Amino acid sequence: MDDDGMTEQYHRALDAAHRHALSWVDTVAERPIRPDLDVDGILGRLLRELPDEGADAAAVVDELAEASAPGLMAMGSPRFYGFVIGGTYPAALAADWLVSTWDQNTGSRQPTPATAAVEEVAAAWLLELLGLPAGSGVGFATGATSANLSCLVVGRDAVLRARGYDPVSDISQAPRVRFLAGDAVHTSVVLAGRVAGLGAPTTVGADREGRIDVAGLERALAAGDAPTVVALQAGDVHSGAFDDFPAAIAVARAAGAWVHIDGAFGLWAAASPRLRHLTRGLADADSWATDAHKTLNVPYDCGVSIVRDEAAMAASLGAHAAYLPAVASISDPYDRVPELSRRARGVPVWAALRSLGRGGVVALVDGLAEAATGLADGFRGIPGLEVINDVVFTQVCLASADDAATAVLGEWLRDEGTVWASSSTWRGRTVVRFAVSNHQTDAAAVRRTVDAVARGAAAVGIAAPAPSVS
């Protein structure tokens, strides 16, 4: 195929993708949220055997979109509350298209100066908005799990170096690193700890909302003097609660521990003057992780790893080889995440922040918290249902007195399609968990959600308990 023919293929394929993308954007807010078909149903719509002959690029895009449509979850709906997944801002979505089109391997500053520069600006903006130390190392990873992993690897190495060991040459000869966390530690931190060689964390207790037991942490730290990494969290996945950072960091510091904070969605509370009190003391930690596809509403995939000591980050994660370009004394993007090859994930972050400005970010974070409060207030008016967490940020846990009825309510909501919320178990009870993460979840979406839950409660037979007779 000549150059003109290939150019025409690009044009027609991109036009087809544009058409299908606009159709999705135009309908996602009102379509039923749940998919109409499961994996087996979609497999039945796809060509299963690879043909000998290829196909026209635009026809391939049409085939993909049409076969996939019934299996798509409307995760961008303002009434989607599952798994802490945000929507997508227009500028971030369009920037992500450019990232794929430009096809820059943003590992090094030298061959990809444009995307590296954009990411550096985005990183500086993030540190300023979140009130974290200027000059911290910032890496753009795949998600919160990989961001946590990056930070825990750096923390592991730092506490070993402080004891005189070189983790780069031979970590097997070093002492075991203790890994401590609260009882409500998120599974992404547990997995990251396992991959980092720390194993599952030893948990030290938590209160009813999931905040780490500081006294328990202090006892665990006093039980030995091994090099230690402590994981705290900004935003419990069920309650939204934030650890007592000043107290927990103080006891960890006294023991010489590295302090990491998992703030997958909650770190963004630091950007809001109204909510910043939740994150008091957070900036005194050593590392932080968040996920921009959650609260910031950029497309997948975009975790963010942040380490106060950029040199320590580069020492643990940096790659070195004769064929790799390097600029003396300046860290490259691949010095901050465990990847040499990656897309320019920070570009959609830049686009979201540039389109929002500081005031827009504050309005986004405040709006998500206000919507969660609105949901909780509405749910409390539905007979037979109760909100069982203190709603401090963006999470709402709903339950009836009967676990089986709560489980059926969750299934009814997901099947009916107006609302999608995750079912879970928390504090020994079955709950339906609403994680408010989409910038379009406004007062109207809240009203429709409360109405759907009220209809669901009535449909499955949940009612207010009869008054007791004395």
Side-chain angles (χ1 to χ4, degrees):
M1 183 181 295
D2 61 24
D3 289 346
D4 289 342
M6 182 59 70
T7 299
E8 176 63 19
Q9 285 262 27
Y10 276 117
H11 279 241
R12 294 181 61 246
L14 290 170
D15 283 344
H18 183 239
R19 183 177 70 255
H20 289 291
L22 288 182
S23 175
W24 176 260
V25 168
D26 289 345
T27 61
V28 69
E30 295 303 324
R31 65 188 297 140
I33 296 177
R34 44 108 180 101
D36 290 327
L37 294 180
D38 60 12
V39 171
D40 289 337
I42 299 301
L43 286 171
R45 296 169 62 88
L46 292 168
L47 189 64
R48 301 296 295 277
E49 293 186 7
L50 181 64
D52 292 331
E53 300 296 328
D56 174 75
V60 169
V61 173
D62 286 337
E63 180 181 328
L64 171 66
E66 289 160 9
S68 301
L72 295 176
M73 174 88 77
M75 289 182 173
S77 167
R79 298 177 310 285
F80 180 84
Y81 304 100
F83 310 121
V84 199
I85 292 174
T88 304
Y89 276 112
L93 173 59
D96 200 55
W97 285 17
L98 287 179
V99 167
S100 293
T101 304
W102 291 340
D103 198 24
Q104 304 288 288
N105 180 357
T106 307
S108 171
R109 300 170 91 248
Q110 188 184 83
T112 57
T115 52
V118 171
E119 287 197 343
E120 287 183 19
V121 172
W125 286 351
L126 285 171
L127 294 177
E128 181 182 356
L129 282 165
L130 299 175
L132 299 179
S136 296
V138 179
F140 292 99
T142 57
T145 303
S146 57
N148 281 316
L149 171 62
S150 298
C151 294
L152 292 179
V153 167
V154 179
R156 177 201 68 191
D157 290 358
V159 297
L160 290 177
R161 286 194 190 94
R163 300 294 183 97
Y165 295 90
D166 181 7
V168 175
S169 61
D170 186 4
I171 199 169
S172 67
Q173 300 302 311
R176 184 176 184 273
V177 176
R178 287 189 303 177
F179 184 27
L180 305 178
D183 283 6
V185 60
H186 191 270
T187 185
S188 69
V189 176
V190 176
L191 176 57
R194 287 166 45 202
V195 176
L198 301 174
T202 298
T203 54
V204 301
D207 68 11
R208 284 179 58 80
E209 295 297 309
R211 292 179 288 257
I212 193 169
D213 180 350
V214 177
L217 174 62
E218 190 167 22
R219 286 192 297 272
L221 289 166
D225 64 351
T228 304
V229 173
V230 173
L232 305 178
Q233 67 175 351
D236 179 81
V237 75
H238 286 102
S239 70
F242 291 67
D243 285 342
D244 182 347
F245 300 119
I249 292 174
V251 300
R253 282 271 181 269
W258 177 280
V259 181
H260 170 65
I261 295 178
D262 171 28
F265 64 92
L267 203 64
W268 289 91
S272 163
R274 287 176 48 194
L275 299 167
R276 194 170 294 149
H277 65 280
L278 296 170
T279 65
R280 186 173 65 90
L282 174 145
D284 294 328
D286 297 294
S287 61
W288 308 263
T290 189
D291 204 338
H293 85 257
K294 298 182 186 295
T295 304
L296 188 59
N297 281 225
V298 306
Y300 277 99
D301 52 13
C302 196
V304 185
S305 54
I306 305 170
V307 176
R308 176 189 296 275
D309 185 347
E310 185 177 29
M313 197 177 200
S316 292
L317 301 174
H320 308 282
Y323 69 90
L324 293 175
V327 180
S329 76
I330 300 176
S331 292
D332 269 306
Y334 54 50
D335 292 326
R336 303 184 187 109
V337 291
E339 297 167 282
L340 280 177
S341 300
R342 69 166 177 85
R343 62 189 280 108
R345 300 186 186 103
V347 171
V349 173
W350 177 91
L353 296 177
R354 179 65 183 86
S355 67
L356 289 170
R358 187 189 309 277
V361 173
V362 173
L364 163 65
V365 176
D366 286 349
L368 297 178
E370 289 167 4
T373 299
L375 288 175
D377 290 344
F379 294 157
R380 292 187 185 103
I382 302 173
L385 294 179
E386 62 175 321
V387 174
I388 67 170
N389 66 305
D390 295 336
V391 180
V392 297
F393 193 45
T394 58
Q395 309 297 98
V396 182
C397 280
L398 186 65
S400 72
D402 180 70
D403 282 349
T406 303
V408 173
L409 173 63
E411 293 170 1
W412 186 95
L413 290 170
R414 293 187 290 273
D415 288 343
E416 192 268 347
T418 300
V419 170
W420 208 101
S422 304
S423 291
S424 186
T425 302
W426 186 55
R427 297 199 320 214
R429 297 181 64 178
T430 299
V431 299
V432 183
R433 182 175 63 92
F434 294 77
V436 184
S437 307
N438 192 307
H439 68 279
Q440 296 187 83
T441 304
D442 56 12
V446 167
R447 287 193 298 271
R448 288 187 63 180
T449 300
V450 172
D451 175 69
V453 171
R455 288 187 286 108
V460 304
I462 293 175
S468 59
V469 178
S470 58

